[in-house]
Amino acid sequence: MTPSEIVTVASETVQALSQTVSGRTFVKSIKKLVDALARVPDYSSAAFSSQEIAQLQLAAEQTIAAIELRIETGDDNGTVQLELARSVYELRRKVEDINRWRRHYLGH
């Protein structure tokens, strides 16, 4: 997956979540985003602009908000709700990994 594809996946995931009804499909979309974010530190810091990093972080935040809203509705079974809750922590961890990676390369 190229840096451009990672940014595209993030954007497409946020859009898809607003239209997803099925709990399983919702979880699959989130896992796709988590996988894309996990790949960011595999690249040099020059591979992503500051704007692209901000887009990825915003996509993660919007996804977390969508997850929290979905959990609040309680429409999904317990297994899906547990997977959704775990996804929030995974997304936050991936964003923190990206932030740590950026600080390392920027020397901060």
Side-chain angles (χ1 to χ4, degrees):
M1 189 177 297
T2 67
S4 175
E5 290 170 332
I6 290 170
V7 174
T8 299
V9 164
S11 177
E12 288 174 350
T13 298
V14 171
Q15 291 174 359
L17 291 178
S18 66
Q19 302 167 4
T20 301
V21 176
S22 163
R24 289 281 166 216
T25 303
F26 196 86
V27 169
K28 284 180 185 178
S29 293
I30 294 165
K31 287 183 180 187
K32 190 173 179 181
L33 175 59
V34 169
D35 180 56
L37 294 176
R39 295 171 187 258
V40 172
D42 293 341
Y43 293 92
S44 74
S45 63
F48 295 91
S49 68
S50 294
Q51 181 182 4
E52 288 171 323
I53 293 297
Q55 283 178 272
L56 294 174
Q57 291 172 330
L58 179 60
E61 290 171 19
Q62 290 173 328
T63 300
I64 289 168
I67 293 167
E68 290 172 342
L69 181 62
R70 187 160 182 124
I71 290 172
E72 282 179 27
T73 65
D75 292 339
D76 297 303
N77 68 42
T79 302
V80 170
Q81 286 204 0
L82 182 58
E83 287 183 58
L84 292 172
R86 287 181 181 153
S87 296
V88 169
Y89 292 107
E90 280 188 70
L91 284 165
R92 287 185 176 142
R93 192 174 22 240
K94 296 307 175 201
V95 169
E96 181 54 37
D97 290 347
I98 292 169
N99 288 335
R100 191 173 19 261
W101 165 81
R102 288 281 287 178
R103 284 192 305 270
H104 172 76
Y105 276 107
L106 296 175
H108 295 160

